[in-house]
Amino acid sequence: CKSPRRSPCQYEFCTEYLLCCSDPEPLTLQELLDVADADSRARYDSMVLGYTESQGMPELREAIAEQYTDVAAEDLLVIAPEEGVYLAMTALGERLLAEGKTHVVCTSPAYQSLYQILESTFGLRVSFWEPRVDPADGVSLRFDVEDLEALVEPGQTGIVVINFPHNPSGCMLTPEEQARVAAVANGAGAAVFSDEMYRGVEHGGRGTLPSFADIDVERSSLCLGGLSKTYGLPGLRMGWIATRDRKLMTRMRELRDFTTICSPGPSEVLALAAVRAAPELQGRVKARVAQNVAIADEFFAERENIFAWAKGGPAAATFAMPRFKRDGTVSF
């Protein structure tokens, strides 16, 4: 299993301009402390650098649970986001093998671990749900749920892996499309793993869709959230898995005993401050993205002969997928 980050890691911290970043401009420690509530700041100032609770600080889980409708603190496992993917995919892969199912559907392009753990560790077959060019404007991308329906194999598809807002296209589903995805999973008897790392950074006044943790998926759903993207805090390495499936939660907690065991205390306290200040921090990211979309609109308008770009940018997230109109790369 080859990591997709090994090659970029050679250049990430020594290159003047990076056009591949998926995270917004990060906050400084002082900027985060400036928006911390009194309780979080007191915890930070009096922090003891010992081990923390394996499932995550109770107060942090309670604050995260408030972002959902039907998720309680005990339905959350606080982890580093990539660790969460590993734990969830391992627990799901074990379940699929026990059930005799062999197939997974995953949105594509995708963060590599969302499918390759299941593929390389458990030998499962993966089909990719890819976006189409929207015929309405001939430029924007969209995911057609009918394509997902065509990929599902009744009796064999055990997991539908989705990522909305989508990395790297910025596509979103409509509420109606989201309900249809849940119906497809229910019809196949498949679990849903929903990567929601960019949930909360929607553009142009678009609303935030419900989390799949709050949607009735009969088999089970697991949702990944975190602070790296929508809060501008990738250096804290803090995220969470939300699921009401008690067996999967128990298995992920068991597996975590062999990874990090628990989260760093300083990161948990700072994460508590961030989650409690979510509207302010997410608003900061949205404002920066809106500013940069305007710059991108101007850039691409001046180069219409080279790029296909939908004015106003994608529906959500911190990146986009402009398309070359020419074969190969060009100087621009």
Side-chain angles (χ1 to χ4, degrees):
C1 180
K2 244 186 187 179
S3 167
R5 286 189 55 80
R6 289 307 93 202
S7 177
C9 279
Q10 300 176 52
Y11 310 106
E12 185 171 1
F13 297 101
C14 61
T15 302
E16 186 173 2
Y17 300 109
L18 293 173
L19 299 181
C20 61
C21 294
S22 61
D23 54 297
E25 187 71 19
L27 276 74
T28 65
L29 174 60
Q30 190 58 55
E31 286 174 327
L32 177 54
L33 292 175
D34 286 344
V35 300
D37 64 292
D39 175 65
S40 299
R41 184 58 197 251
R43 290 172 185 271
Y44 180 80
D45 290 337
S46 62
M47 186 187 325
V48 176
L49 299 178
Y51 286 108
T52 62
E53 295 192 33
S54 180
Q55 191 171 353
M57 178 197 294
E59 295 83 359
L60 174 58
R61 288 187 284 115
E62 288 168 5
I64 295 168
E66 291 179 3
Q67 299 184 355
Y68 300 88
T69 303
D70 295 320
V71 172
E74 61 264 27
D75 301 326
L76 292 160
L77 178 62
V78 176
I79 36 73
E82 180 57 27
E83 178 189 23
V85 174
Y86 177 79
L87 298 177
M89 294 305 174
T90 300
L92 286 168
E94 291 174 346
R95 173 179 282 185
L96 257 65
L97 290 185
E99 294 175 343
K101 294 186 176 181
T102 63
H103 183 245
V104 176
V105 179
C106 181
T107 50
S108 178
Y111 199 72
Q112 196 168 356
S113 59
L114 290 178
Y115 62 90
Q116 197 167 61
I117 294 169
L118 296 168
E119 187 177 53
S120 64
T121 303
F122 296 96
L124 300 174
R125 295 177 295 110
V126 180
S127 297
F128 293 107
W129 180 22
E130 299 177 338
R132 296 172 175 264
V133 174
D134 191 336
D137 61 15
V139 177
S140 303
L141 297 174
R142 62 182 297 269
F143 283 83
D144 191 327
V145 182
E146 290 185 2
D147 293 337
L148 171 63
E149 293 170 336
L151 292 170
V152 167
E153 300 177 9
Q156 288 301 310
T157 301
I159 310 171
V160 175
V161 181
I162 58 174
N163 167 216
F164 296 105
H166 179 248
N167 172 5
S169 71
C171 292
M172 280 182 66
L173 299 177
T174 65
E176 294 75 20
E177 289 168 337
Q178 187 182 49
R180 288 178 62 195
V181 170
V184 170
N186 288 338
V192 172
F193 181 92
S194 179
D195 176 348
E196 299 174 356
M197 288 295 290
Y198 296 92
R199 182 171 176 260
V201 184
E202 296 79 22
H203 307 163
R206 295 178 178 88
T208 300
L209 288 175
S211 167
F212 257 87
D214 292 325
I215 292 176
D216 186 19
V217 178
E218 294 173 6
R219 191 65 182 91
S220 57
S221 62
L222 298 91
C223 299
L224 175 69
L227 304 183
S228 299
K229 315 301 184 183
T230 59
Y231 291 78
L233 295 168
L236 291 187
R237 309 308 305 129
M238 292 297 292
W240 55 86
I241 294 286
T243 184
R244 287 175 284 165
D245 188 315
R246 300 261 60 84
K247 290 183 178 179
L248 283 175
M249 175 61 77
T250 297
R251 183 55 181 149
M252 288 189 294
R253 292 183 65 182
E254 291 172 348
L255 291 166
R256 199 194 189 177
D257 290 340
F258 297 90
T259 56
T260 61
I261 301 176
C262 63
S263 299
S267 288
E268 283 201 326
V269 172
L270 293 171
L272 178 63
V275 173
R276 287 174 171 174
E280 183 170 350
L281 297 185
Q282 291 180 357
R284 173 185 181 274
V285 172
K286 286 184 177 181
R288 176 64 64 88
V289 170
Q291 175 185 341
N292 289 344
V293 166
I295 295 171
D297 280 344
E298 183 178 345
F299 176 90
F300 290 115
E302 294 173 354
R303 297 162 178 82
E304 289 182 333
N305 61 321
I306 300 175
F307 297 102
W309 169 262
K311 183 176 173 57
T318 57
F319 37 68
M321 286 180 65
R323 290 182 293 117
F324 278 117
K325 290 183 176 180
R326 305 175 182 177
D327 294 330
T329 59
V330 295
S331 297
F332 56 86

